[in-house]
Protein backbone atom coordinates (compact mmCIF):
# COMPACT_ATOMS: atom_id res chain seq x y z
CA UNK A 1 0.00 0.00 0.00
CA UNK A 2 1.39 3.43 -0.92
CA UNK A 3 2.43 5.80 1.86
CA UNK A 4 -0.28 8.12 3.12
CA UNK A 5 -3.19 6.07 1.79
CA UNK A 6 -4.52 4.86 5.19
CA UNK A 7 -4.46 8.50 6.39
CA UNK A 8 -6.33 9.60 3.27
CA UNK A 9 -8.95 6.90 3.74
CA UNK A 10 -9.43 7.75 7.43
CA UNK A 11 -9.68 11.46 6.63
CA UNK A 12 -12.29 10.80 3.94
CA UNK A 13 -14.35 8.68 6.30
CA UNK A 14 -14.16 11.15 9.21
CA UNK A 15 -15.15 14.03 6.92
CA UNK A 16 -18.12 12.04 5.67
CA UNK A 17 -19.03 11.12 9.24
CA UNK A 18 -19.11 14.79 10.28
CA UNK A 19 -21.21 15.67 7.22
CA UNK A 20 -23.80 12.95 7.79
CA UNK A 21 -23.92 13.68 11.54
CA UNK A 22 -24.79 17.28 10.72
CA UNK A 23 -27.47 16.05 8.31
CA UNK A 24 -28.98 13.83 11.00
CA UNK A 25 -29.00 16.67 13.55
CA UNK A 26 -30.68 18.96 11.00
CA UNK A 27 -33.26 16.33 10.10
CA UNK A 28 -33.89 15.70 13.77
CA UNK A 29 -34.94 19.34 14.18
CA UNK A 30 -37.30 19.10 11.17
CA UNK A 31 -40.91 17.95 11.77
CA UNK A 32 -41.49 14.51 10.24
CA UNK A 33 -44.69 12.54 9.58
CA UNK A 34 -45.88 10.22 12.32
CA UNK A 35 -44.55 6.67 12.34
CA UNK A 36 -41.49 7.64 10.27
CA UNK A 37 -38.04 6.29 11.04
CA UNK A 38 -34.63 7.49 9.87
CA UNK A 39 -31.18 6.09 10.55
CA UNK A 40 -27.65 6.63 9.35
CA UNK A 41 -24.78 4.21 8.83
CA UNK A 42 -21.15 5.08 8.08
CA UNK A 43 -18.23 2.68 8.16
CA UNK A 44 -14.52 2.33 7.48
CA UNK A 45 -13.56 -1.05 6.03
CA UNK A 46 -10.26 -2.65 5.14
CA UNK A 47 -9.98 -5.61 2.80
CA UNK A 48 -7.24 -7.99 1.72
CA UNK A 49 -7.83 -9.93 -1.51
CA UNK A 50 -5.59 -12.58 -3.05
CA UNK A 51 -5.78 -13.95 -6.60
CA UNK A 52 -9.20 -12.63 -7.53
CA UNK A 53 -9.92 -14.53 -10.76
CA UNK A 54 -6.16 -15.21 -11.01
CA UNK A 55 -5.61 -13.21 -14.18
CA UNK A 56 -5.68 -10.08 -12.01
CA UNK A 57 -2.39 -9.57 -10.15
CA UNK A 58 -2.66 -10.44 -6.44
CA UNK A 59 -3.30 -7.26 -4.51
CA UNK A 60 -4.19 -5.92 -1.09
CA UNK A 61 -6.51 -2.95 -0.95
CA UNK A 62 -8.48 -0.89 1.56
CA UNK A 63 -11.65 1.07 1.06
CA UNK A 64 -13.88 3.52 2.86
CA UNK A 65 -17.66 3.24 2.83
CA UNK A 66 -20.19 5.96 3.57
CA UNK A 67 -23.80 4.79 3.80
CA UNK A 68 -27.13 6.48 4.40
CA UNK A 69 -30.41 4.63 4.92
CA UNK A 70 -33.64 6.61 5.15
CA UNK A 71 -36.99 4.94 5.93
CA UNK A 72 -40.50 6.30 6.11
CA UNK A 73 -43.72 4.41 6.83
CA UNK A 74 -47.26 5.52 7.57
CA UNK A 75 -50.96 4.82 7.08
CA UNK A 76 -53.00 6.49 4.36
CA UNK A 77 -56.23 5.03 5.72
CA UNK A 78 -57.18 2.48 8.36
CA UNK A 79 -56.49 -0.36 5.90
CA UNK A 80 -53.82 1.16 3.63
CA UNK A 81 -50.12 1.26 4.57
CA UNK A 82 -47.07 2.48 2.69
CA UNK A 83 -43.31 2.21 3.12
CA UNK A 84 -40.47 4.09 1.43
CA UNK A 85 -36.74 3.26 1.69
CA UNK A 86 -33.78 5.17 0.29
CA UNK A 87 -30.24 3.76 0.37
CA UNK A 88 -27.02 5.56 -0.57
CA UNK A 89 -23.46 4.20 -0.57
CA UNK A 90 -20.17 5.81 -1.57
CA UNK A 91 -17.31 3.30 -1.88
CA UNK A 92 -13.73 4.54 -2.33
CA UNK A 93 -10.83 2.12 -2.90
CA UNK A 94 -7.28 3.28 -2.26
CA UNK A 95 -5.31 1.38 -4.86
CA UNK A 96 -7.87 0.22 -7.41
CA UNK A 97 -9.74 3.47 -7.98
CA UNK A 98 -11.51 2.03 -11.04
CA UNK A 99 -13.69 0.05 -8.60
CA UNK A 100 -14.96 3.17 -6.79
CA UNK A 101 -18.73 3.43 -7.08
CA UNK A 102 -21.87 5.27 -5.98
CA UNK A 103 -25.03 3.29 -5.29
CA UNK A 104 -28.46 4.93 -5.04
CA UNK A 105 -31.54 2.79 -4.43
CA UNK A 106 -35.19 3.75 -3.82
CA UNK A 107 -37.93 1.30 -2.83
CA UNK A 108 -41.66 2.07 -2.53
CA UNK A 109 -44.30 -0.33 -1.21
CA UNK A 110 -48.06 -0.12 -0.70
CA UNK A 111 -50.24 -2.65 1.15
CA UNK A 112 -54.01 -2.91 1.47
CA UNK A 113 -55.88 -5.04 4.03
CA UNK A 114 -58.55 -6.59 1.79
CA UNK A 115 -60.33 -8.68 4.38
CA UNK A 116 -59.35 -10.20 7.71
CA UNK A 117 -55.96 -11.95 7.35
CA UNK A 118 -55.63 -11.19 3.60
CA UNK A 119 -53.27 -8.44 2.38
CA UNK A 120 -52.51 -7.24 -1.16
CA UNK A 121 -49.31 -5.42 -1.95
CA UNK A 122 -47.45 -3.69 -4.77
CA UNK A 123 -43.86 -2.48 -4.78
CA UNK A 124 -41.31 -0.82 -7.05
CA UNK A 125 -37.55 -0.53 -6.65
CA UNK A 126 -35.01 1.38 -8.68
CA UNK A 127 -31.22 1.20 -8.34
CA UNK A 128 -28.61 3.34 -10.08
CA UNK A 129 -25.03 2.07 -9.75
CA UNK A 130 -22.34 4.40 -11.10
CA UNK A 131 -18.53 4.34 -11.41
CA UNK A 132 -16.99 7.86 -11.18
CA UNK A 133 -13.89 6.66 -13.05
CA UNK A 134 -14.26 7.52 -16.76
CA UNK A 135 -12.71 4.24 -17.89
CA UNK A 136 -15.24 2.28 -15.84
CA UNK A 137 -18.34 4.42 -16.40
CA UNK A 138 -19.49 2.17 -19.26
CA UNK A 139 -20.48 -0.33 -16.55
CA UNK A 140 -22.96 2.08 -14.93
CA UNK A 141 -26.35 0.39 -14.72
CA UNK A 142 -30.01 0.93 -13.91
CA UNK A 143 -32.04 -1.86 -12.35
CA UNK A 144 -35.84 -1.71 -11.99
CA UNK A 145 -38.06 -4.24 -10.22
CA UNK A 146 -41.86 -4.08 -9.91
CA UNK A 147 -43.88 -6.69 -8.01
CA UNK A 148 -47.43 -7.46 -6.85
CA UNK A 149 -48.39 -10.02 -4.24
CA UNK A 150 -51.11 -11.49 -2.02
CA UNK A 151 -50.36 -12.58 1.57
CA UNK A 152 -52.75 -14.71 3.61
CA UNK A 153 -52.45 -15.50 7.31
CA UNK A 154 -53.91 -18.63 8.88
CA UNK A 155 -53.46 -20.03 12.37
CA UNK A 156 -52.37 -23.66 12.20
CA UNK A 157 -50.16 -24.57 15.18
CA UNK A 158 -48.71 -21.10 15.83
CA UNK A 159 -49.35 -19.26 12.55
CA UNK A 160 -48.98 -19.70 8.79
CA UNK A 161 -48.14 -17.00 6.26
CA UNK A 162 -48.77 -17.74 2.56
CA UNK A 163 -47.46 -15.28 -0.02
CA UNK A 164 -47.60 -15.47 -3.82
CA UNK A 165 -46.58 -12.80 -6.26
CA UNK A 166 -45.40 -11.83 -9.72
CA UNK A 167 -42.57 -9.49 -10.66
CA UNK A 168 -40.93 -7.74 -13.60
CA UNK A 169 -37.28 -6.71 -13.69
CA UNK A 170 -35.16 -4.72 -16.14
CA UNK A 171 -31.37 -4.32 -16.07
CA UNK A 172 -29.95 -1.74 -18.47
CA UNK A 173 -26.45 -0.39 -19.20
CA UNK A 174 -26.86 3.14 -20.62
CA UNK A 175 -23.16 3.53 -21.56
CA UNK A 176 -22.47 0.04 -22.88
CA UNK A 177 -23.12 -1.31 -26.37
CA UNK A 178 -22.59 -5.03 -26.86
CA UNK A 179 -22.36 -4.79 -30.65
CA UNK A 180 -19.37 -2.43 -30.27
CA UNK A 181 -17.75 -3.71 -27.06
CA UNK A 182 -18.34 -7.44 -27.43
CA UNK A 183 -17.89 -9.88 -24.53
CA UNK A 184 -16.57 -8.04 -21.44
CA UNK A 185 -16.48 -9.10 -17.78
CA UNK A 186 -17.87 -6.64 -15.27
CA UNK A 187 -15.73 -4.99 -12.61
CA UNK A 188 -17.34 -7.13 -9.91
CA UNK A 189 -16.10 -10.27 -11.70
CA UNK A 190 -19.46 -12.03 -11.51
CA UNK A 191 -20.37 -12.69 -15.15
CA UNK A 192 -19.95 -10.84 -18.40
CA UNK A 193 -21.93 -7.65 -18.97
CA UNK A 194 -25.42 -8.24 -20.38
CA UNK A 195 -28.65 -6.27 -20.35
CA UNK A 196 -31.86 -8.18 -19.66
CA UNK A 197 -35.52 -7.89 -18.81
CA UNK A 198 -37.59 -10.62 -17.24
CA UNK A 199 -40.91 -11.69 -15.79
CA UNK A 200 -41.49 -14.29 -13.12
CA UNK A 201 -43.42 -15.50 -10.10
CA UNK A 202 -42.61 -16.46 -6.53
CA UNK A 203 -44.16 -18.26 -3.54
CA UNK A 204 -43.13 -17.96 0.13
CA UNK A 205 -44.55 -19.92 3.07
CA UNK A 206 -43.68 -19.35 6.72
CA UNK A 207 -44.95 -21.75 9.38
CA UNK A 208 -44.70 -21.21 13.11
CA UNK A 209 -43.94 -24.42 14.99
CA UNK A 210 -43.81 -25.43 18.66
CA UNK A 211 -40.69 -24.82 20.77
CA UNK A 212 -40.13 -21.38 19.13
CA UNK A 213 -39.32 -22.89 15.73
CA UNK A 214 -40.13 -21.28 12.37
CA UNK A 215 -40.11 -23.11 9.04
CA UNK A 216 -39.71 -21.16 5.79
CA UNK A 217 -40.20 -22.51 2.25
CA UNK A 218 -39.86 -20.51 -0.95
CA UNK A 219 -39.49 -20.70 -4.69
CA UNK A 220 -38.86 -18.24 -7.52
CA UNK A 221 -39.01 -18.70 -11.29
CA UNK A 222 -38.08 -16.00 -13.78
CA UNK A 223 -37.48 -15.81 -17.52
CA UNK A 224 -34.86 -13.24 -18.59
CA UNK A 225 -34.42 -12.02 -22.17
CA UNK A 226 -31.25 -10.20 -23.26
CA UNK A 227 -32.32 -7.70 -25.97
CA UNK A 228 -28.73 -6.91 -27.05
CA UNK A 229 -27.35 -10.43 -26.89
CA UNK A 230 -28.01 -12.46 -30.08
CA UNK A 231 -26.63 -15.98 -30.26
CA UNK A 232 -23.35 -16.59 -32.11
CA UNK A 233 -23.69 -18.20 -35.54
CA UNK A 234 -20.15 -19.57 -35.51
CA UNK A 235 -16.69 -19.21 -33.99
CA UNK A 236 -16.24 -15.68 -35.33
CA UNK A 237 -16.72 -12.47 -33.37
CA UNK A 238 -19.72 -10.33 -34.48
CA UNK A 239 -21.19 -13.29 -36.43
CA UNK A 240 -24.70 -13.58 -34.98
CA UNK A 241 -28.03 -15.24 -35.57
CA UNK A 242 -31.42 -13.54 -35.20
CA UNK A 243 -32.21 -15.44 -31.98
CA UNK A 244 -31.78 -13.67 -28.62
CA UNK A 245 -30.34 -15.10 -25.43
CA UNK A 246 -32.96 -16.32 -22.92
CA UNK A 247 -32.19 -17.53 -19.40
CA UNK A 248 -34.70 -19.35 -17.21
CA UNK A 249 -33.85 -19.30 -13.51
CA UNK A 250 -35.42 -21.51 -10.86
CA UNK A 251 -34.56 -21.16 -7.16
CA UNK A 252 -35.94 -23.20 -4.24
CA UNK A 253 -35.08 -22.68 -0.58
CA UNK A 254 -35.94 -23.96 2.89
CA UNK A 255 -34.90 -22.73 6.33
CA UNK A 256 -35.55 -23.68 9.95
CA UNK A 257 -34.90 -21.13 12.69
CA UNK A 258 -35.05 -21.40 16.47
CA UNK A 259 -35.63 -18.44 18.79
CA UNK A 260 -33.85 -19.76 21.86
CA UNK A 261 -33.85 -16.36 23.63
CA UNK A 262 -35.59 -13.05 23.13
CA UNK A 263 -34.12 -11.45 19.96
CA UNK A 264 -31.61 -14.34 19.60
CA UNK A 265 -31.88 -17.16 17.08
CA UNK A 266 -30.14 -19.91 15.14
CA UNK A 267 -30.98 -20.58 11.49
CA UNK A 268 -30.24 -23.54 9.19
CA UNK A 269 -30.98 -23.09 5.50
CA UNK A 270 -30.69 -24.92 2.19
CA UNK A 271 -31.00 -23.49 -1.31
CA UNK A 272 -31.06 -25.07 -4.76
CA UNK A 273 -31.00 -23.21 -8.04
CA UNK A 274 -30.55 -23.71 -11.76
CA UNK A 275 -30.12 -21.63 -14.90
CA UNK A 276 -31.15 -23.01 -18.28
CA UNK A 277 -30.05 -20.84 -21.20
CA UNK A 278 -30.22 -21.13 -24.97
CA UNK A 279 -27.08 -19.00 -25.36
CA UNK A 280 -23.65 -20.03 -26.55
CA UNK A 281 -20.31 -18.28 -26.05
CA UNK A 282 -16.92 -17.85 -27.70
CA UNK A 283 -14.04 -19.21 -25.62
CA UNK A 284 -10.38 -18.56 -26.41
CA UNK A 285 -8.00 -21.50 -25.93
CA UNK A 286 -4.71 -19.70 -25.18
CA UNK A 287 -2.61 -22.84 -25.60
CA UNK A 288 -4.05 -23.82 -28.99
CA UNK A 289 -4.46 -20.20 -30.14
CA UNK A 290 -8.00 -20.81 -31.40
CA UNK A 291 -11.50 -19.61 -30.52
CA UNK A 292 -14.11 -22.26 -29.80
CA UNK A 293 -17.90 -21.99 -29.76
CA UNK A 294 -19.43 -23.61 -26.66
CA UNK A 295 -23.14 -24.38 -26.43
CA UNK A 296 -24.83 -24.41 -23.03
CA UNK A 297 -22.14 -22.10 -21.66
CA UNK A 298 -24.47 -20.46 -19.11
CA UNK A 299 -26.30 -23.58 -17.92
CA UNK A 300 -25.52 -24.27 -14.29
CA UNK A 301 -26.82 -25.72 -11.04
CA UNK A 302 -25.98 -24.47 -7.57
CA UNK A 303 -26.63 -25.65 -4.02
CA UNK A 304 -26.00 -23.83 -0.75
CA UNK A 305 -26.09 -24.92 2.89
CA UNK A 306 -26.16 -22.07 5.40
CA UNK A 307 -25.85 -22.05 9.20
CA UNK A 308 -25.99 -18.80 11.14
CA UNK A 309 -26.97 -17.28 14.42
CA UNK A 310 -27.62 -14.02 16.24
CA UNK A 311 -27.01 -13.62 19.97
CA UNK A 312 -28.14 -10.48 21.81
CA UNK A 313 -26.68 -9.41 25.15
CA UNK A 314 -26.77 -6.45 27.52
CA UNK A 315 -29.57 -4.03 28.37
CA UNK A 316 -29.35 -2.26 24.99
CA UNK A 317 -29.32 -5.44 22.90
CA UNK A 318 -25.78 -5.43 21.57
CA UNK A 319 -25.32 -8.55 19.47
CA UNK A 320 -22.92 -11.00 17.86
CA UNK A 321 -23.72 -12.36 14.41
CA UNK A 322 -22.10 -15.50 12.95
CA UNK A 323 -22.81 -17.01 9.55
CA UNK A 324 -21.23 -19.90 7.64
CA UNK A 325 -22.11 -21.24 4.21
CA UNK A 326 -20.97 -23.80 1.66
CA UNK A 327 -21.96 -23.21 -1.96
CA UNK A 328 -21.32 -25.52 -4.91
CA UNK A 329 -21.81 -24.68 -8.61
CA UNK A 330 -21.59 -27.05 -11.55
CA UNK A 331 -21.70 -26.06 -15.23
CA UNK A 332 -22.96 -28.52 -17.82
CA UNK A 333 -21.62 -26.68 -20.86
CA UNK A 334 -18.62 -24.67 -19.64
CA UNK A 335 -15.26 -26.38 -19.70
CA UNK A 336 -12.53 -25.54 -17.19
CA UNK A 337 -9.23 -23.84 -18.10
CA UNK A 338 -5.82 -24.25 -16.49
CA UNK A 339 -3.16 -21.66 -15.56
CA UNK A 340 -1.91 -21.55 -19.17
CA UNK A 341 -5.42 -20.98 -20.57
CA UNK A 342 -5.76 -24.49 -21.99
CA UNK A 343 -9.35 -25.75 -22.20
CA UNK A 344 -9.72 -29.15 -20.56
CA UNK A 345 -12.29 -31.86 -21.21
CA UNK A 346 -13.80 -31.44 -17.71
CA UNK A 347 -16.71 -29.09 -17.05
CA UNK A 348 -16.14 -26.27 -14.61
CA UNK A 349 -17.07 -26.97 -10.97
CA UNK A 350 -16.77 -24.51 -8.06
CA UNK A 351 -17.01 -24.82 -4.29
CA UNK A 352 -17.12 -21.73 -2.07
CA UNK A 353 -16.65 -21.49 1.72
CA UNK A 354 -17.83 -18.34 3.50
CA UNK A 355 -17.46 -17.47 7.19
CA UNK A 356 -18.65 -14.18 8.72
CA UNK A 357 -18.20 -13.06 12.35
CA UNK A 358 -19.53 -9.67 13.40
CA UNK A 359 -19.68 -7.84 16.74
CA UNK A 360 -22.14 -4.97 17.15
CA UNK A 361 -21.60 -3.13 20.44
CA UNK A 362 -24.01 -0.34 21.34
CA UNK A 363 -22.21 2.74 22.67
CA UNK A 364 -25.23 4.66 23.96
CA UNK A 365 -26.79 7.99 23.00
CA UNK A 366 -24.92 11.05 21.78
CA UNK A 367 -26.45 14.28 20.43
CA UNK A 368 -29.88 12.65 20.26
CA UNK A 369 -28.73 9.62 18.23
CA UNK A 370 -28.01 6.01 19.13
CA UNK A 371 -24.48 4.83 18.25
CA UNK A 372 -23.07 1.37 17.72
CA UNK A 373 -19.55 0.06 17.06
CA UNK A 374 -19.30 -2.67 14.41
CA UNK A 375 -16.31 -5.03 14.06
CA UNK A 376 -16.41 -7.72 11.40
CA UNK A 377 -14.33 -10.41 9.72
CA UNK A 378 -15.31 -12.25 6.54
CA UNK A 379 -13.34 -15.15 5.04
CA UNK A 380 -14.21 -16.37 1.54
CA UNK A 381 -12.44 -19.20 -0.27
CA UNK A 382 -13.38 -20.37 -3.76
CA UNK A 383 -12.04 -23.71 -4.96
CA UNK A 384 -12.48 -24.50 -8.63
CA UNK A 385 -11.04 -26.79 -11.29
CA UNK A 386 -10.94 -23.64 -13.43
CA UNK A 387 -7.77 -21.74 -12.55
CA UNK A 388 -9.39 -18.35 -13.12
CA UNK A 389 -12.02 -18.95 -10.44
CA UNK A 390 -9.83 -20.00 -7.51
CA UNK A 391 -9.22 -17.26 -4.97
CA UNK A 392 -9.18 -16.27 -1.29
CA UNK A 393 -10.64 -13.09 0.19
CA UNK A 394 -10.35 -11.71 3.69
CA UNK A 395 -12.40 -8.63 4.61
CA UNK A 396 -11.94 -6.78 7.89
CA UNK A 397 -14.56 -4.19 8.85
CA UNK A 398 -14.54 -1.35 11.36
CA UNK A 399 -17.68 0.76 11.40
CA UNK A 400 -19.83 3.13 13.41
CA UNK A 401 -23.60 3.01 13.06
CA UNK A 402 -25.86 5.85 14.12
CA UNK A 403 -29.65 5.54 14.49
CA UNK A 404 -32.19 8.33 14.85
CA UNK A 405 -35.92 7.69 15.03
CA UNK A 406 -39.04 9.80 14.68
CA UNK A 407 -42.37 8.43 15.93
Amino acid sequence: MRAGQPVKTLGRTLAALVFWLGAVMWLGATPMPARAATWLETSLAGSSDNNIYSYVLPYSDSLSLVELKLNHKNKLTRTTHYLANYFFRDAAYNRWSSKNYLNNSLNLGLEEDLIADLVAGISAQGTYYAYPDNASSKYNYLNWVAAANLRWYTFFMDFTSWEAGVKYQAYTLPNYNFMQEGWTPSLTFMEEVAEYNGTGAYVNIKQGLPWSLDLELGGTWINNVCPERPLYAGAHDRDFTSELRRDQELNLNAALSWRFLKNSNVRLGYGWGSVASNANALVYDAAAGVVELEAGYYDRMNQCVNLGGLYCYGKENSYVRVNTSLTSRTYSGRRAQDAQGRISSANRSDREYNVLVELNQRLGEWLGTQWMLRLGYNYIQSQSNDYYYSYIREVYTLGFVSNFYWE
Side-chain angles (χ1 to χ4, degrees):
M1 184 177 295
R2 294 192 296 269
Q5 288 177 339
V7 175
K8 182 174 65 176
T9 299
L10 182 59
R12 176 190 178 97
T13 303
L14 290 177
L17 188 62
V18 171
F19 172 80
W20 289 121
L21 178 58
V24 167
M25 295 175 64
W26 177 80
L27 287 171
T30 304
M32 297 292 290
R35 299 179 62 82
T38 303
W39 71 92
L40 167 75
E41 179 174 336
T42 59
S43 61
L44 170 66
S47 64
S48 175
D49 299 338
N50 180 35
N51 281 339
I52 296 273
Y53 275 64
S54 293
Y55 62 77
V56 178
L57 292 177
Y59 73 98
S60 179
D61 204 351
S62 62
L63 73 153
S64 60
L65 287 175
V66 177
E67 295 182 339
L68 172 65
K69 297 178 182 179
L70 181 64
N71 291 298
H72 175 67
K73 62 181 181 179
N74 209 341
K75 282 188 175 184
L76 293 176
T77 67
R78 185 177 62 85
T79 60
T80 307
H81 319 261
Y82 70 88
L83 174 67
N85 308 99
Y86 171 70
F87 173 76
F88 168 82
R89 173 183 287 171
D90 179 6
Y93 288 81
N94 267 322
R95 301 187 64 181
W96 198 354
S97 60
S98 61
K99 291 181 66 176
N100 295 350
Y101 66 87
L102 296 172
N103 186 8
N104 287 272
S105 181
L106 178 64
N107 180 70
L108 303 172
L110 183 68
E111 288 192 343
E112 175 69 26
D113 299 331
L114 299 178
I115 57 175
D117 305 324
L118 181 63
V119 180
I122 57 174
S123 63
Q125 179 177 347
T127 300
Y128 181 59
Y129 196 101
Y131 293 97
D133 186 87
N134 289 334
S136 306
S137 62
K138 66 181 179 181
Y139 300 117
N140 295 357
Y141 69 77
L142 279 166
N143 189 32
W144 300 96
V145 180
N149 69 282
L150 284 173
R151 188 166 63 253
W152 179 40
Y153 297 95
T154 59
F155 296 94
F156 172 71
M157 293 189 185
D158 190 355
F159 74 94
T160 309
S161 171
W162 310 75
E163 182 175 329
V166 294
K167 70 176 183 176
Y168 171 81
Q169 63 183 24
Y171 178 91
T172 60
L173 295 139
N175 303 331
Y176 183 87
N177 188 313
F178 172 72
M179 295 300 181
Q180 297 177 2
E181 300 283 353
W183 192 97
T184 306
S186 69
L187 287 178
T188 53
F189 300 112
M190 296 295 290
E191 286 288 355
E192 93 285 5
V193 174
E195 292 190 348
Y196 61 81
N197 56 73
T199 55
Y202 66 91
V203 176
N204 292 317
I205 302 172
K206 187 173 181 179
Q207 175 64 60
L209 299 173
W211 306 295
S212 299
L213 295 172
D214 289 331
L215 176 65
E216 298 176 49
L217 303 172
T220 302
W221 176 86
I222 193 162
N223 180 58
N224 289 319
V225 180
C226 301
E228 288 190 343
R229 189 57 59 92
L231 273 59
Y232 288 104
H236 299 284
D237 199 15
R238 310 296 192 275
D239 185 9
F240 303 111
T241 71
S242 59
E243 188 175 1
L244 296 178
R245 172 180 167 182
R246 297 176 180 270
D247 296 351
Q248 293 188 5
E249 294 187 36
L250 176 63
N251 292 285
L252 303 174
N253 58 79
L256 183 66
S257 58
W258 174 40
R259 301 185 305 276
F260 60 92
L261 290 173
K262 182 181 178 181
N263 298 329
S264 299
N265 65 77
V266 175
R267 178 185 174 92
L268 175 64
Y270 172 77
W272 179 92
S274 70
V275 174
S277 176
N278 66 339
N280 50 23
L282 298 181
V283 179
Y284 178 66
D285 188 332
V290 297
V291 175
E292 297 185 9
L293 182 65
E294 292 195 3
Y297 186 79
Y298 302 98
D299 294 351
R300 69 175 183 269
M301 185 184 74
N302 54 272
Q303 300 183 74
C304 180
V305 178
N306 179 281
L307 177 62
L310 179 72
Y311 174 70
C312 296
Y313 63 93
K315 294 186 297 183
E316 296 181 329
N317 279 336
S318 298
Y319 62 94
V320 176
R321 184 164 69 100
V322 178
N323 193 75
T324 61
S325 66
L326 170 61
T327 303
S328 64
R329 301 182 187 89
T330 55
Y331 294 79
S332 58
R334 186 182 307 194
R335 290 181 291 167
Q337 291 183 274
D338 63 16
Q340 285 72 44
R342 291 188 295 261
I343 298 177
S344 71
S345 59
N347 289 332
R348 176 183 153 193
S349 177
D350 303 341
R351 184 180 295 265
E352 181 181 288
Y353 302 90
N354 193 315
V355 178
L356 171 68
V357 180
E358 189 178 88
L359 170 66
N360 294 268
Q361 176 65 52
R362 298 197 182 276
L363 303 177
E365 185 173 316
W366 183 53
L367 297 178
T369 62
Q370 296 291 330
W371 288 84
M372 181 169 64
L373 170 67
R374 175 169 294 166
L375 300 173
Y377 172 73
N378 191 194
Y379 175 84
I380 306 164
Q381 181 177 2
S382 177
Q383 299 176 349
S384 176
N385 61 349
D386 190 312
Y387 177 78
Y388 296 137
Y389 293 85
S390 293
Y391 60 86
I392 293 175
R393 292 190 64 203
E394 289 185 283
V395 181
Y396 300 87
T397 302
L398 167 64
F400 291 94
V401 181
S402 173
N403 295 284
F404 190 91
Y405 295 95
W406 293 270
E407 294 292 346

